[in-house]
Amino acid sequence: MAVREAAGTSELPVVRDKAEAGPADEVAEDAGRHSPRKQAAGSVPATDETAPHEASDSAAAASKTAKSAKKEKAPKPPKAPKTARAPKFHAPRSKKPFIIAAAVVVAVLLGGVGVAAGTYAAEMWGGKTIPEVVGLTKDEAIAKLGEKGFVAEVAEVKSDEAAGTVLSASPNGGTRADEGSTIALEVATPRVIPAVAGLSQQEATDALTAEGFTAVEMTQQKSNEAAGTVLAVSPEAGTQALSGDTVTLTVAVPFTVPEVAGLGRDDAVAALEAEGYSVNAQRYYTEDVAEGTAVGTDPEAGTELNSGSEVTLLIAKSRANELVELTKSILPGAILKTDEASYKVESVESVSYRGDNEVSYKVVARQFEVVDLPFGLGQKTYYDKETSVVEGGIVWDDNNKVSYANPAITY
């Protein structure tokens, strides 16, 4: 079929595929649909008979043109120069959405905290609460801890509290710990007087202090045990007592020879025997102390000496008095011989001590003479009718024997 060419034109309008057409093309297409086409002058209007053929040819031409347009794209129009833009004004946004969101978050958190607190209080997590057991008995505390799933470890501690009373718990009651944890309990046990007899004073004191006793007193008792040895304790060992109760230690002190100088003989002997000593009394010659007075002892006073030992007691004895008395006892009836005559002492007038065991005396004596009788008839003694006073002297030895006499003495 021959196709007419429109007067004044040699090209058909380009028809693009919608898929390739851009936004501008779509706008142009829409505009063409809504506005009547302008026909060139001298063109023949399409009839019903020619319209389909023209449309077909036009579509083919348009398809070719579209394909050609794909290969050769139209150049982009130059960009318009940038111009300064006026600052944009933004209306203030409402805070209400944020407040609502925050409130929701807080509510969720609080709800979570409440749940956590509730489950914690119910001991669903975070361990179990250790019960308060201080002041209970040991058995009560063990049972109470066992009910919560805890294990008790008991240590005995000396105390004035009733035996078996729980003094402390570690960890403390009211705190939390994992179920099955060990709770250390300190349980009261009574203080007991320790056996300290035979120990030194320091050792005994340390033992009592370790037991907690604070009122320890000492008494002394003379003994043959070593000085400072504890002889006894009161209350006796094994007795239960409180820390403030008085505990008395009896501590050994040595026997010592007492001071007896200046005492009479009997009193001095009694004092020594009271210490358990046996007494050996001996005279001690001196002119400085009254005769019969204790001068001292051997060993001397203050010497440590076990009871039962012997002590020599020295009793003052006047040598002067002794020799005077001794002289007086031998003179009566004695025969005094001088170079001139012999005398028989009838009485003693006086005796005095000169020192160094020497005494002098004065006696009343009757001179006499012994005459041999004739014919073997023996001897006869003739005494003067008058008495005479004779003076003399005697030297005594340490054994109280006459070592020298003038006049000589015989019997």
Side-chain angles (χ1 to χ4, degrees):
M1 182 181 293
V3 179
R4 293 183 181 179
E5 293 182 1
T9 180
S10 59
E11 294 183 67
L12 292 174
V14 176
V15 179
R16 296 181 182 177
D17 190 10
K18 287 185 179 182
E20 296 177 357
D25 296 329
E26 291 178 0
V27 172
E29 185 178 351
D30 290 338
R33 282 197 299 265
H34 294 288
S35 62
R37 295 180 181 178
K38 292 182 181 181
Q39 296 180 348
S43 63
V44 181
T47 64
D48 294 337
E49 187 176 319
T50 60
H53 298 287
E54 291 177 355
S56 175
D57 293 338
S58 297
S63 176
K64 289 180 180 181
T65 304
K67 290 179 180 179
S68 177
K70 284 181 181 179
K71 294 180 180 179
E72 296 180 7
K73 292 182 180 180
K76 294 181 180 180
K79 294 181 180 181
K82 293 182 179 180
T83 58
R85 296 182 179 179
K88 295 182 179 181
F89 174 77
H90 299 283
R93 296 180 179 180
S94 173
K95 295 183 180 179
K96 187 173 182 179
F98 298 102
I99 295 173
I100 295 173
V104 170
V105 171
V106 170
V108 171
L109 292 176
L110 290 177
V113 169
V115 172
T119 54
Y120 180 80
E123 298 184 346
M124 296 175 65
W125 61 279
K128 301 288 186 179
T129 301
I130 300 171
E132 293 285 355
V133 295
V134 174
L136 302 180
T137 66
K138 179 181 72 174
D139 293 340
E140 291 172 342
I142 291 174
K144 194 169 184 178
L145 290 170
E147 291 173 359
K148 297 298 293 278
F150 296 114
V151 177
E153 184 178 78
V154 177
E156 292 186 338
V157 177
K158 301 292 184 181
S159 173
D160 291 342
E161 296 293 331
T165 301
V166 176
L167 304 175
S168 69
S170 180
N172 295 327
T175 58
R176 298 183 76 141
D178 293 336
E179 187 173 356
S181 297
T182 298
I183 310 302
L185 302 180
E186 288 188 341
V187 176
T189 186
R191 305 179 197 279
V192 178
I193 304 296
V196 295
L199 301 181
S200 69
Q201 178 178 328
Q202 187 60 56
E203 290 171 337
T205 301
D206 291 344
L208 289 167
T209 300
E211 194 71 15
F213 294 108
T214 58
V216 180
E217 296 182 353
M218 306 290 171
T219 61
Q220 295 182 338
Q221 179 177 311
K222 291 181 178 180
S223 170
N224 289 340
E225 296 292 334
T229 301
V230 175
L231 303 176
V233 60
S234 179
E236 63 182 9
T239 303
Q240 294 183 6
L242 300 179
S243 60
D245 291 347
T246 299
V247 180
T248 304
L249 296 177
T250 302
V251 180
V253 292
F255 283 100
T256 57
V257 177
E259 180 63 78
V260 295
L263 298 179
R265 176 192 175 98
D266 293 343
D267 291 340
V269 170
L272 290 167
E273 289 179 343
E275 296 296 313
Y277 298 122
S278 61
V279 181
N280 176 23
Q282 294 184 3
R283 62 177 179 264
Y284 179 83
Y285 293 113
T286 178
E287 306 304 320
D288 300 328
V289 179
E291 194 171 54
T293 301
V295 177
T297 55
D298 182 20
E300 64 183 6
T303 301
E304 293 183 4
L305 185 66
N306 284 346
S307 180
S309 301
E310 182 181 272
V311 176
T312 298
L313 174 62
L314 303 177
I315 301 298
K317 181 69 175 176
S318 170
R319 185 60 170 165
N321 292 341
E322 182 180 47
L323 295 180
V324 166
E325 294 302 320
L326 186 58
T327 301
K328 287 180 177 179
S329 67
I330 68 169
L331 285 175
I335 303 300
L336 305 178
K337 288 185 177 183
T338 67
D339 294 337
E340 292 81 14
S342 296
Y343 298 89
K344 185 174 183 179
V345 177
E346 293 186 352
S347 63
V348 177
E349 285 196 356
S350 64
V351 177
S352 61
Y353 182 69
R354 293 181 178 179
D356 295 331
N357 290 340
E358 182 180 357
V359 295
S360 62
Y361 61 84
K362 182 184 294 186
V363 295
V364 174
R366 192 178 295 274
Q367 185 178 354
F368 69 90
E369 180 180 2
V370 177
V371 177
D372 292 329
L373 295 175
F375 309 110
L377 295 177
Q379 294 178 328
K380 185 175 181 179
T381 303
Y382 294 94
Y383 292 93
D384 287 351
K385 293 182 180 180
E386 300 294 332
T387 59
S388 303
V389 174
V390 180
E391 294 182 0
I394 300 174
V395 176
W396 298 88
D397 63 16
D398 292 338
N399 295 319
N400 292 341
K401 300 293 184 182
V402 175
S403 62
Y404 174 77
N406 184 25
I409 298 176
T410 61
Y411 292 93

